[in-house]
Amino acid sequence: MSMCNRGWYLIAYAIGAIFAVFALTPLIWMIFSSLKPYEELYNFPPSFSLSSLGLHYYDKVLLSSPFPQFLANSLIVSVVSTLISVLLAAMAGWSLARARFRGQWLILNAVLLAYLFPQALIVLPLFTAIAKIGLANTYLGLILAYITFTFPFSTWMLTAYFAKVPIEIEEAGRMDGASNLTIFCRLVLPLAAPGIVTVAIFSFINAWNEFLYGLVILGGGEKRTLPVGLYNFVGGEFAQWGEMMAATSLTMLPTLLLFLFIQRRLVGGLTAGAVKS
């Protein structure tokens, strides 16, 4: 490696390190604040003593607040919307990758266009439609709303993955008498597994972190999801910062663990369609 290239690599690493510190500092500060006693939360300059740290806020959040109910609500709507979205997107993506028909380009771009609309623009029409079919303040209503933004993204990504699956494999299956359903389930889906996992992760994270749809469609009842439920700790004359920091840390934990366990597969899935065969 030449000295010039080495210098560019060092500059790139330094910039990456600066951005990493900038991105991680709020998270570390949040976790540290969730462990401090109340009297140290508002001290200035802040205390960094480790001897007084404890889990008292976590006890309050888990045992004396509706946080577990909000956690269960988020799991239900995020997991179900992810499963439905990935299943529908897999079928649509395979069809768009293999079938050749007039208007195919228009359909693909219409799917992408639906994903580009900001949530604030469509949340009220979407809520009106969901309310008219009697699904307001229900899990199913919120799941349908989440599918409206996870399905277009999933379809676009999976169309690219299915296009990379060698068509000779599918033709060999047809010569052996396999139906389209058999080819799709037994040949195509296993080969596109990295892409499906990647899409499922993104769909889950989008649904898990979503706030606006959850607030409008589910309102303020017991079915609130975690991002909406965090508002429970703000109100009245003061905010419960310690409890809020603990609840936010717990909310972040599932997505963090998910990312750590499947990081390699996620990176491989993102780059699988980047190189032409």
Side-chain angles (χ1 to χ4, degrees):
M1 182 184 300
S2 66
M3 290 296 294
C4 182
N5 286 339
R6 186 173 298 176
W8 281 112
Y9 277 119
L10 289 176
I11 293 173
Y13 284 136
I15 294 174
I18 292 171
F19 276 103
V21 171
F22 185 76
L24 291 176
T25 297
L27 299 179
I28 296 172
W29 186 267
M30 177 184 70
I31 295 172
F32 193 66
S33 298
S34 71
L35 300 172
K36 283 183 176 181
Y38 178 79
E39 55 273 16
E40 292 187 8
L41 282 177
Y42 302 97
N43 284 350
F44 187 84
S47 169
F48 294 97
S49 172
L50 300 179
S51 59
S52 58
L53 301 184
L55 298 174
H56 38 283
Y57 293 127
Y58 290 90
D59 289 340
K60 289 183 179 178
V61 167
L62 292 173
L63 302 178
S64 307
S65 79
F67 181 86
Q69 180 63 49
F70 299 152
L71 177 64
N73 298 340
S74 277
L75 282 175
I76 291 171
V77 295
S78 300
V79 171
V80 175
S81 63
T82 297
L83 292 176
I84 295 175
S85 179
V86 171
L87 177 62
L88 295 178
M91 293 188 289
W94 188 51
S95 300
L96 291 170
R98 289 291 180 251
R100 293 292 178 265
F101 54 89
R102 185 175 297 178
Q104 185 180 20
W105 177 87
L106 182 63
I107 293 176
L108 268 172
N109 285 278
V111 169
L112 181 62
L113 186 65
Y115 182 70
L116 297 180
F117 280 106
Q119 288 184 338
L121 190 64
I122 62 175
V123 62
L124 289 180
L126 186 62
F127 172 74
T128 302
I130 290 174
K132 281 187 179 297
I133 58 177
L135 294 179
N137 199 26
T138 65
Y139 293 136
L140 182 56
L142 187 60
I143 289 169
L144 291 177
Y146 283 174
I147 291 174
T148 62
F149 64 81
T150 56
F151 173 75
F153 168 79
S154 303
T155 301
W156 256 85
M157 284 200 69
L158 288 178
T159 300
Y161 279 104
F162 289 134
K164 290 293 180 182
V165 175
I167 197 169
E168 291 80 7
I169 296 176
E170 300 174 26
E171 292 173 348
R174 287 193 178 88
M175 291 180 66
D176 290 339
S179 64
N180 283 335
L181 182 62
T182 302
I183 292 172
F184 178 68
C185 294
R186 295 190 176 182
L187 299 179
V188 177
L189 286 183
L191 292 174
I196 292 173
V197 171
T198 303
V199 167
I201 294 166
F202 273 98
S203 298
F204 178 82
I205 291 175
N206 281 334
W208 184 264
N209 294 329
E210 200 284 327
F211 172 79
L212 185 59
Y213 287 173
L215 177 66
V216 174
I217 294 175
L218 291 183
E222 294 182 351
K223 294 178 181 175
R224 278 175 289 182
T225 55
L226 275 176
V228 182
L230 290 177
Y231 261 129
N232 268 6
F233 301 104
V234 180
E237 297 180 353
F238 61 93
Q240 298 170 290
W241 289 112
E243 288 83 351
M244 182 183 293
M245 295 296 106
T248 308
S249 301
L250 292 171
T251 302
M252 182 185 66
L253 193 59
T255 53
L256 181 63
L257 292 176
L258 188 63
F259 179 78
L260 291 177
F261 276 117
I262 56 177
Q263 183 182 12
R264 289 187 177 180
R265 173 160 288 191
L266 179 63
V267 174
L270 285 173
T271 57
V275 181
K276 290 184 178 180
S277 58

